[in-house]
Amino acid sequence: MFEPQGRLQKASLRARVTWLAAFCVAGAVALVSFGAYMIVRKSVYDALDESLRTRAVAVATGQKINTPDFVGKYPAAFLAAGDVKMGVLLAGSGQILYPDGFEPPPTVEEAWDVAQGERGEYIWTDHKTESRVIAVRYQQNQAILIAQSMVPQRTTLAKLSVVLLLIGGAGVLLAAIAGTAVARTGLRPVQRLTEATERVANTGDLTPIPVSGDDELARLTHSFNAMLGAVAESQERQRRLVADAGHELRTPLTSMRTNLELLLASERPNSPTLSQEDKTEIQSDVRAQLDELTTLIGDLVELAREDAPQMVQEPVDLVEVVERSLDRARRRASNVTFDVQLQPWTLLGDSSALERAVLNLLDNAVKFSPSGSAVRLSLRQVGDGSAVVEVADAGPGIADADLPHVFERFYRSSEARTLPGSGLGLAIVKQVAQRHGGTATAGRAPEGGALFTLRLPGRP
């Protein structure tokens, strides 16, 4: 059976670079060799033609000898024609005279035109005898013919072609070797990237790759290392989230399981019964633990959603977001009042995430504020292309030891451990701020309580 085309093995990038270098050099060598051969060939034949022309003129204008069978003077050079064939065309009789003991030079129709005076000279190649022949005007109705063998020139050109072929072949071979070396050296970072990718896929090892140089491949390696770092950080965040979530879920689940087992055990025959007051207390405790679990799971889902890279980008009126959060906080807390001052501000972002962040700050302020106190909420411009949402409570404030940790996941101060909450609200506030290009900070309010500031970019 035939193998599908998509499964055919393709040449590696290194082999393609080698073949490309070899083909490029072969093309260049072939072009240069052909040009050199043609130039030398033309020069050799031009030199041969010039030699024939000079010799023919010398024969025609040189010493002459009277002979009884020749009309006019006979060229004396015929007597020393050793390396060429010479002859005289007689246009009147249609004969060709040449020295005794020699072969007559070849002739063509154009040579008789020279003898008749219709041409001054004519040079051609006689392929039958492999010679170059020239016909020049001699006397009236006569022309001198000189034919010289082209074998030496053709031998020289043949040797030149062999030399060019050998040099070209050596050049192509060297180019292939150099292409292989360059490909091996240049593709070594790509090979390291490939091995690192395979290592990550097989083992999950996110160790960065060593970088050398400052070329495009080095920048690619830096980008790949940055990607590995982002993946490692994401995995670490997930690991911490799972570990912290497991720790936080274990306590309410264990307590709720104990209470439920106690209630079930009291219903069995021959078992001690619980008073109605104890049952009511256990049921209230179970409901509180269910509420705590619900809040914790909701915050975990929200935190996981905030970790996602995608984000809605739409125009957001921050005043409307703050007012919606304030309405929800007022419905939850009837024992505190809110001192509100808002200035217009808009930005691009996710209105639901921003609303959740502001609501978390308000809920946190309500939780620590004593009954009858006021929570200060303000939205104001700060003049550097950003605005701040400030939430200040009238509680005991944040201890100096707790300030660096208040935005960490599941962190709860010693004062907050007895209060309801998941320990994730402020972590969500920090992530929302960072996703919108802002910051979240904590400090002390002039009133003495905690002051949380959410700084966001935008415009009035």
Side-chain angles (χ1 to χ4, degrees):
M1 295 179 63
F2 291 101
E3 192 173 13
Q5 184 68 24
R7 296 183 181 179
L8 292 178
Q9 186 177 4
K10 296 182 179 180
S12 64
L13 181 58
R14 181 184 302 175
R16 292 200 296 270
V17 171
T18 302
W19 282 109
L20 178 62
F23 281 135
C24 290
V25 172
V29 169
L31 184 62
V32 172
S33 299
F34 178 76
Y37 179 83
M38 295 304 295
I39 292 174
V40 173
R41 181 177 181 273
K42 185 176 185 303
S43 299
V44 168
Y45 287 151
D46 288 346
L48 177 61
D49 291 347
E50 188 62 28
S51 175
L52 284 174
R53 187 177 290 108
T54 301
R55 193 164 187 172
V57 172
V59 170
T61 59
Q63 186 178 1
K64 300 175 179 61
I65 302 174
N66 291 321
T67 58
D69 56 348
F70 185 72
V71 179
K73 299 290 186 178
Y74 189 86
F78 279 16
L79 302 177
D83 59 336
V84 295
K85 299 177 182 179
M86 294 186 181
V88 177
L89 293 179
L90 304 177
S93 61
Q95 295 179 347
I96 178 172
L97 300 180
Y98 55 92
D100 293 337
F102 291 88
E103 295 181 359
T107 183
V108 292
E109 187 67 28
E110 289 81 357
W112 294 99
D113 296 337
V114 174
Q116 293 173 359
E118 297 178 4
R119 295 173 180 264
E121 69 173 26
Y122 183 69
I123 300 177
W124 75 97
T125 299
D126 185 74
H127 297 285
K128 185 176 181 181
T129 59
E130 294 188 2
S131 58
R132 190 74 169 166
V133 188
I134 186 172
V136 296
R137 187 76 184 276
Y138 181 48
Q139 295 178 7
Q140 185 176 3
N141 292 330
Q142 296 178 6
I144 296 292
L145 281 181
I146 300 178
Q148 184 171 352
S149 174
M150 298 175 61
V151 172
Q153 288 78 11
R154 291 188 174 180
T155 302
T156 301
L157 292 175
K159 292 180 179 179
L160 176 63
S161 63
V162 172
V163 171
L164 292 177
L165 182 62
L166 292 176
I167 294 177
V172 172
L173 181 60
L174 290 176
I177 296 174
T180 302
V182 170
R184 182 181 293 110
T185 303
L187 296 177
R188 188 172 292 118
V190 177
Q191 184 178 1
R192 289 200 299 266
L193 286 176
T194 302
E195 293 173 352
T197 304
E198 293 174 349
R199 185 187 71 238
V200 171
N202 296 330
T203 66
D205 183 12
L206 301 178
T207 303
I209 306 172
V211 182
S212 60
D214 57 352
D215 54 5
E216 290 79 1
L217 291 175
R219 291 196 294 270
L220 176 62
T221 306
H222 280 296
S223 300
F224 189 81
N225 286 339
M227 182 190 69
L228 290 180
V231 173
E233 182 181 357
S234 176
Q235 287 185 350
E236 179 62 20
R237 286 200 307 267
Q238 292 177 359
R239 187 192 63 79
R240 290 199 309 266
L241 180 62
V242 171
D244 293 341
H247 175 74
E248 293 295 325
L249 288 170
R250 188 178 297 111
T251 300
L253 285 175
T254 302
S255 178
M256 189 164 54
R257 179 178 180 178
T258 301
N259 288 330
L260 290 175
E261 288 179 348
L262 184 59
L263 285 175
L264 292 175
S266 65
E267 300 296 332
R268 294 172 186 167
N270 302 323
S271 297
T273 59
L274 296 174
S275 64
Q276 187 62 36
E277 182 180 355
D278 291 337
K279 289 182 179 181
T280 302
E281 183 179 353
I282 292 175
Q283 290 171 359
S284 299
D285 194 14
V286 169
R287 280 193 294 269
Q289 289 159 358
L290 284 174
D291 292 339
E292 184 179 354
L293 278 176
T294 302
T295 302
L296 180 58
I297 292 173
D299 288 343
L300 285 173
V301 172
E302 183 69 19
L303 199 61
R305 188 179 72 86
E306 294 297 333
D307 275 341
Q310 62 270 16
M311 173 180 170
V312 178
Q313 291 286 348
E314 60 183 5
V316 177
D317 187 342
L318 194 56
V319 174
E320 294 181 358
V321 170
V322 173
E323 289 177 344
R324 289 198 303 268
S325 302
L326 183 60
D327 291 340
R328 295 174 62 182
R330 281 172 173 162
R331 289 194 297 268
R332 298 181 184 182
S334 58
N335 58 338
V336 297
T337 59
F338 293 91
D339 182 11
V340 182
Q341 294 180 356
L342 304 178
Q343 294 181 359
W345 193 256
T346 59
L347 71 158
L348 290 177
D350 186 351
S351 61
S352 61
L354 291 170
E355 182 179 346
R356 178 62 184 269
V358 176
L359 180 60
N360 286 353
L361 292 179
L362 293 174
D363 287 342
N364 186 76
V366 169
K367 181 169 60 176
F368 289 96
S369 296
S371 180
S373 61
V375 173
R376 178 168 58 85
L377 170 63
S378 65
L379 168 59
R380 59 185 177 86
Q381 306 171 18
V382 293
D384 60 350
S386 62
V388 294
V389 178
E390 291 184 344
V391 178
D393 60 49
I398 305 174
D400 293 338
D402 294 327
L403 276 176
H405 308 288
V406 293
F407 291 104
E408 294 179 3
R409 296 175 180 178
F410 300 107
Y411 181 81
R412 304 180 73 180
S413 63
S414 57
E415 294 82 2
R417 288 171 186 169
T418 58
L419 298 176
S422 63
L424 295 175
L426 295 180
I428 294 175
V429 172
K430 180 181 178 181
Q431 286 198 350
V432 171
Q434 291 176 345
R435 287 178 59 198
H436 288 80
T439 58
T441 57
R444 289 187 176 275
E447 298 88 341
L451 174 64
F452 287 93
T453 302
L454 182 64
R455 182 184 292 265
L456 297 170
R459 58 183 177 84

